[in-house]
Amino acid sequence: MENQNNVTEFVFMGLWGNKQMELLFFFWFLLCYLAVLMGNVIILLTITCSHLIEQPMYYFLCHLSLMDLCYTSTVVPRLIRDLGAARRNISYNNCMTQLFAAHLLAGVEIFILVSMAFDRYVAIVKPLHYTVLMNRQRCNMLIFTAWAVGFWHSIALLLMVLNLPFCGPNQIDHYICDVKPLLKLVCRDIRVVSILVIANSGMVVVVIFLVLVVSYILILYNLRTRSSAGRRKALSTCSSHVMVVVLFFVPCIYTYVLPAGSENKDKEISVFYTVIAPMLNPLIYTLRNTEMKTAMQKVWSKMAHSECK
């Protein structure tokens, strides 16, 4: 049977139905987005304009900040616009583009976090082999792999959704075009597709999260033999990574492990990984990191002197 698709556009129902609440959140999300832009641009400039770019950990952090910037920019500007608009429509093609871009960038970000965990594992568990194992060629390969895996994940999801029939209604109970709210609008049985989505997104996120948890347990176990100063420094770095991983992965697991038909707080929970995590990441990595704070002072003082001249 040929897929019937009568829908040319979708309408977002948004986060809340209360107009006064939406006006308040318009300004809140605008401030959050400005904080995401400012925080991540500061990290990008600090790392690329200092010696930190030569270190694998900061090289990955630079890419993580870039992903945060791009990922948030695929979601938040439209959310801000919709909070102040009377009609929140998006064309079918733009919806599919947002779905693909958001999952591509989120997939890349997830595997950058894996690369960062691997970097910390090698630095602490195999310190004598660190420079050999984490050379620039290996780092570039890990970034390329992150993009390849992210592309595979998002293209598989996109092709799955493109083959589904949408005959109406066209109201998405969300503020972004994501796979689960879209599945609720499909005019055919979605049980098999829901299982495929859980396998493609939910189970993958759970497995990666468990791998990261195991890697940090091994890191903590190996820290017992370190000096108290070395242990403090390693714990400070690892605790920052753990906070970022928890902020991103726990809401993702909640969203993508449950089936599409279930009534849950998907759209409210998704605010954590679309807005709050990208906003807090720069703070987590700078406030708890002496090297970053020192590099920041040097870079910005250098910029201030060059402006004065």
Side-chain angles (χ1 to χ4, degrees):
M1 189 175 113
E2 195 177 319
N3 282 345
Q4 188 185 5
N5 197 347
N6 300 328
V7 173
T8 57
E9 69 170 17
F10 295 101
V11 178
F12 293 123
M13 290 173 72
L15 275 166
W16 301 276
N18 187 317
K19 273 287 173 192
Q20 288 179 324
M21 281 276 287
E22 286 184 344
L23 189 64
L24 179 69
F25 278 100
F26 171 86
F27 291 106
W28 187 76
F29 280 116
L30 182 62
L31 288 172
C32 286
Y33 186 54
L34 292 173
V36 170
L37 292 177
M38 190 172 70
N40 285 291
V41 165
I42 286 170
I43 282 188
L44 281 167
L45 286 173
T46 302
I47 294 171
T48 52
C49 297
S50 70
H51 67 283
L52 294 179
I53 192 68
E54 295 162 16
Q55 298 181 42
M57 183 178 81
Y58 296 104
Y59 178 73
F60 291 131
L61 178 56
C62 193
H63 281 276
L64 183 71
S65 286
L66 183 62
M67 286 307 102
D68 277 339
L69 273 174
C70 297
Y71 178 61
T72 311
S73 297
T74 63
V75 176
V76 181
R78 178 170 281 277
L79 168 61
I80 293 167
R81 192 209 73 169
D82 288 344
L83 284 168
R87 185 166 161 77
R88 303 158 179 171
N89 59 314
I90 183 170
S91 70
Y92 177 86
N93 289 340
N94 285 345
C95 182
M96 295 303 116
T97 303
Q98 189 185 53
L99 172 73
F100 174 77
H103 277 269
L104 169 65
L105 297 167
V108 175
E109 181 156 342
I110 282 169
F111 281 92
I112 287 173
L113 289 170
V114 172
S115 301
M116 292 173 86
F118 177 68
D119 170 71
R120 290 301 85 204
Y121 176 82
V122 174
I124 291 162
V125 179
K126 297 181 182 293
L128 299 176
H129 302 99
Y130 181 72
T131 51
V132 176
L133 289 171
M134 296 305 296
N135 55 45
R136 185 46 56 94
Q137 190 179 357
R138 180 69 52 83
C139 292
N140 287 335
M141 189 190 75
L142 287 168
I143 294 294
F144 174 79
T145 305
W147 276 97
V149 173
F151 179 80
W152 172 84
H153 156 73
S154 54
I155 201 73
L157 214 57
L158 178 67
L159 292 173
M160 202 186 300
V161 175
L162 286 173
N163 282 315
L164 297 172
F166 296 96
C167 346
N170 67 340
Q171 287 190 319
I172 300 176
D173 187 18
H174 216 292
Y175 59 92
I176 55 170
C177 277
D178 203 1
V179 63
K180 278 183 69 181
L182 281 170
L183 285 181
K184 293 178 183 178
L185 306 180
V186 175
C187 47
R188 81 163 189 224
D189 185 58
I190 59 162
R191 278 174 294 185
V192 175
V193 182
S194 288
I195 292 166
L196 290 172
V197 167
I198 291 168
N200 180 289
S201 302
M203 296 318 295
V204 170
V205 172
V206 170
V207 169
I208 292 169
F209 181 67
L210 291 174
V211 168
L212 289 172
V213 168
V214 169
S215 72
Y216 285 117
I217 289 169
L218 289 171
I219 286 168
L220 289 171
Y221 180 78
N222 279 274
L223 280 175
R224 295 173 310 136
T225 56
R226 293 293 183 91
S227 64
S228 57
R231 201 181 301 132
R232 271 198 304 273
K233 187 181 177 183
L235 279 172
S236 175
T237 307
C238 289
S239 60
S240 299
H241 290 187
V242 169
M243 277 192 275
V244 170
V245 164
V246 169
L247 268 173
F248 193 86
F249 276 85
V250 173
C252 278
I253 289 168
Y254 175 89
T255 303
Y256 293 106
V257 165
L258 297 172
S262 60
E263 291 298 321
N264 50 35
K265 301 286 184 183
D266 279 357
K267 62 182 179 181
E268 291 87 353
I269 295 294
S270 64
V271 172
F272 281 93
Y273 57 82
T274 56
V275 184
I276 295 170
M279 181 179 67
L280 294 180
N281 283 358
L283 291 173
I284 291 167
Y285 281 113
T286 52
L287 294 178
R288 297 178 60 83
N289 192 313
T290 312
E291 265 187 310
M292 270 295 291
K293 284 190 277 190
T294 307
M296 217 179 283
Q297 286 169 354
K298 285 180 182 176
V299 168
W300 294 105
S301 63
K302 198 188 293 180
M303 284 183 173
H305 285 309
S306 63
E307 278 179 17
C308 291
K309 290 175 184 177

